[in-house]
Amino acid sequence: MLARLNFLRIGILAAALGILVPGAASAHAMLHSSDPADGATLNTSPRALNLAFTEDCRVTALRLLDESGREHQVRREGGRASSSQVSATLAGPLRPGAYRVEWRAMGDDGHVMSGTVRFAVNAAR
């Protein structure tokens, strides 16, 4: 009877760990939204770039590139402190064309992630 009770306890513990561990392992910060939105076509140049993450993280790189790969200067607001919101202002208006924002961040758990947000600016009418 005692052996059966120990077997039952071990089974319950194993089941509990099986449920908890995958959830903890997948709890990483992810990009929730951006402004401009990924795939957006804008009629005018944005004044700022905004990234919103599902939880606090530290953005370690943020670059704005045009379709030829040329980098455009941006100034990050708020430094490099851990936050769920990151903003950067543009040095000047963007010409019509395709752009991409490349970012890299590290979550509070040490997980490194990266991504790209693409948008376009239309020619003035």
Side-chain angles (χ1 to χ4, degrees):
M1 178 73 171
L2 187 57
R4 225 172 156 195
L5 187 57
N6 282 338
F7 181 74
L8 184 58
R9 286 182 187 161
I10 291 170
I12 291 171
L13 180 61
L17 286 174
I19 291 170
L20 295 176
V21 171
S26 65
H28 296 300
M30 298 177 358
L31 183 65
H32 178 264
S33 63
S34 64
D35 182 23
D38 190 31
T41 299
L42 310 173
N43 289 324
T44 60
S45 173
R47 293 183 179 178
L49 307 172
N50 299 290
L51 302 177
F53 295 90
T54 56
E55 59 188 64
D56 285 355
C57 59
R58 190 169 56 88
V59 174
T60 57
L62 181 67
R63 299 182 344 145
L64 174 63
L65 302 140
D66 61 25
E67 55 200 339
S68 68
R70 189 177 71 130
E71 188 168 353
H72 293 262
Q73 187 176 4
V74 295
R75 191 182 89 213
R76 290 191 33 197
E77 306 294 328
R80 295 180 185 252
S82 187
S83 175
S84 64
Q85 304 281 328
V86 175
S87 295
T89 55
L90 280 63
L94 300 175
R95 293 184 175 191
Y99 295 88
R100 70 183 184 272
V101 178
E102 295 179 349
W103 59 269
R104 185 174 48 241
M106 184 183 334
D108 288 340
D109 62 356
H111 178 75
V112 177
M113 66 214 120
S114 61
T116 303
V117 174
R118 298 177 188 281
F119 67 94
V121 176
N122 272 343
R125 298 177 195 249

